[in-house]
Amino acid sequence: MRLAEGTAWRPEQERVLYCMGNSSQHEHVYELLCEHPGAVLLHDAQLTGFFGWYAGRERPQDPLGRLVERVEGVYGTRIPPAELRTAPLDWQRRMELGIFMTAEVARHARRLLVHSAFAAEVAGREAALVRAEVPVTQLPFAMPRAVERARGAAAQPPLVVHMGAVSEEKGVGELIEAFGLLAREHAGVRLVVAGPADDGERERWQLHARECAPAADVAVLGRVSDARYAELLARADLAVQLRNAANGEASAAVTDCLAAGIPTVVTRIGWTGELPSAAVRHVDPHSSAPQLATAMSELLTDVRARAELSAGALAHARANSFERVAEAYLSALELD
């Protein structure tokens, strides 16, 4: 958190734990870390977005030039120079080349904490690029208190939800296309996409739904109130939380679904790919619309499978409660 104005920093009296993520909101985190090294929880193992933005703070007159310096300082010529200087790399190209820029944080960290084996591998590889001998510790991701009600038969008509931020990387397009096929088999089924999205993004996906699933009931709501969010979790018969790429982050939206006992479909990639099969239904990255529709249909019609997956989700949430994960943090920071 930010220090209150006028508050003095006393590193000799503090054990500092930073949380670093891939957005401009973490500017103060990075700057404090550079000045006062400490343990860092990596919300994302992919930090190219942050450093792309931060380059503009460092060199407003030439942000791309500053970013190029940073990238070449860590990765050398891994990116063809002409490509690097032309335009920012999109997320697909970054993943293809293995450009994460977590090394810039590893330089200053005394310990890196992550939530998945995928993120641990990325963090260790990035630290090695800058010869930072920093330990990497994998910890569970804390989950909300489980709502003790297992889901049985789906409602008629059923409700399918996607919770959390709305973007191409979250596989919203693929979900809508698959839902169009699902709606042909399940009369009245409804899809609600609820999560942060500006008006342009909402309109983009609503248009996609009109084009790819014209007969289906699809609502792209954008950000909703806490009460509406809780209502959707309580009423949902199925959640679909896809990823087209893994940035090493864990998803609070997925944990909300599991703690609510919702049968949930996730992509076998990164943190979601490491969730136990008893708690989620995995689909392969970039599954076709028919494959995804089949997985959704099975979980709407198979009462036993729904009940087992719901119970597994609740058990996983209980095993990874905030209380239990807090103890793991204390141990990792040698404070137990």
Side-chain angles (χ1 to χ4, degrees), residues 143 239 254-255 257-259 261-266 271-272 274-282 299 305-318 320:
M143 299 196 171
V254 170
T255 67
C257 295
L258 300 188
I262 306 171
T264 302
V265 176
V266 300
W271 175 78
T272 54
E274 297 173 27
L275 290 170
S277 58
V280 296
R281 173 67 61 88
H282 287 108
L299 284 177
R306 288 176 49 77
E308 289 178 349
L309 204 57
S310 179
L314 293 171
H316 188 67
R318 288 192 296 270
N320 293 279

Side-chain angles (χ1 to χ4, degrees), residues 40-47 74-75 98 100-107 109 111-138 247-248:
V40 181
L41 168 63
L42 291 173
H43 178 273
D44 304 282
Q46 168 73 263
L47 299 176
V74 175
Y75 302 99
F100 287 85
M101 296 191 73
T102 311
E104 296 288 355
V105 168
R107 293 181 195 272
R111 178 180 296 276
L112 294 174
L113 306 177
V114 297
H115 291 132
S116 67
F118 172 85
E121 192 277 329
V122 169
R125 186 175 69 237
E126 289 278 305
L129 289 172
V130 293
R131 296 179 174 82
E133 296 183 2
V134 53
V136 179
T137 303
Q138 181 181 341
N247 288 329

Side-chain angles (χ1 to χ4, degrees), residues 195-209:
D198 60 30
D199 290 342
E201 193 79 358
R202 287 179 58 197
E203 178 58 29
R204 172 191 178 189
W205 295 117
Q206 205 69 68
L207 176 61
H208 187 68

Side-chain angles (χ1 to χ4, degrees), residues 272-307:
T272 54
E274 297 173 27
L275 290 170
S277 58
V280 296
R281 173 67 61 88
H282 287 108
V283 293
D284 291 331
H286 305 292
S287 292
S288 67
Q291 290 171 327
L292 183 55
T294 296
M296 295 163 67
S297 181
E298 288 175 353
L299 284 177
L300 287 177
T301 56
D302 189 331
V303 176
R304 180 176 179 180
R306 288 176 49 77

Side-chain angles (χ1 to χ4, degrees), residues 73-309:
V74 175
Y75 302 99
T77 58
R78 184 182 300 184
I79 306 175
E83 180 179 357
L84 181 59
R85 288 176 170 81
T86 301
L89 300 175
D90 63 26
W91 62 269
Q92 294 165 309
R93 186 62 170 145
R94 291 196 304 266
M95 296 300 295
E96 178 185 337
L97 294 169
I99 306 298
F100 287 85
M101 296 191 73
T102 311
E104 296 288 355
V105 168
R107 293 181 195 272
H108 306 284
R110 289 179 175 164
R111 178 180 296 276
L112 294 174
L113 306 177
V114 297
H115 291 132
S116 67
F118 172 85
E121 192 277 329
V122 169
R125 186 175 69 237
E126 289 278 305
L129 289 172
V130 293
R131 296 179 174 82
E133 296 183 2
V134 53
V136 179
T137 303
Q138 181 181 341
L139 296 173
F141 188 57
M143 299 196 171
R145 191 175 301 279
V147 178
E148 299 300 334
R149 68 169 237 212
R151 310 286 173 124
Q156 294 302 322
L159 173 63
V160 180
V161 298
H162 167 91
M163 312 298 285
V166 180
S167 70
E168 185 175 348
E169 291 183 47
K170 299 295 180 68
V172 174
E174 291 88 337
L175 168 58
I176 290 172
E177 292 169 23
F179 185 78
L181 301 178
L182 181 75
R184 299 175 186 175
E185 302 177 17
H186 297 266
V189 64
R190 188 179 188 215
L191 171 64
V192 172
V193 179
D198 60 30
D199 290 342
E201 193 79 358
R202 287 179 58 197
E203 178 58 29
R204 172 191 178 189
W205 295 117
Q206 205 69 68
L207 176 61
H208 187 68
R210 289 194 292 269
E211 292 176 345
C212 298
D217 186 350
V218 179
V220 183
L221 302 182
R223 188 184 294 275
V224 296
S225 67
D226 291 347
R228 178 63 169 143
Y229 190 88
E231 178 190 2
L232 289 169
L233 289 175
R235 292 183 50 208
D237 297 291
L238 178 67
V240 183
Q241 305 289 135
L242 304 178
R243 295 288 314 190
N244 284 330
N247 288 329
E249 80 285 19
S251 169
V254 170
T255 67
D256 289 339
C257 295
L258 300 188
I262 306 171
T264 302
V265 176
V266 300
T267 312
R268 189 180 285 106
I269 187 173
W271 175 78
T272 54
E274 297 173 27
L275 290 170
S277 58
V280 296
R281 173 67 61 88
H282 287 108
V283 293
D284 291 331
H286 305 292
S287 292
S288 67
Q291 290 171 327
L292 183 55
T294 296
M296 295 163 67
S297 181
E298 288 175 353
L299 284 177
L300 287 177
T301 56
D302 189 331
V303 176
R304 180 176 179 180
R306 288 176 49 77
E308 289 178 349
L309 204 57

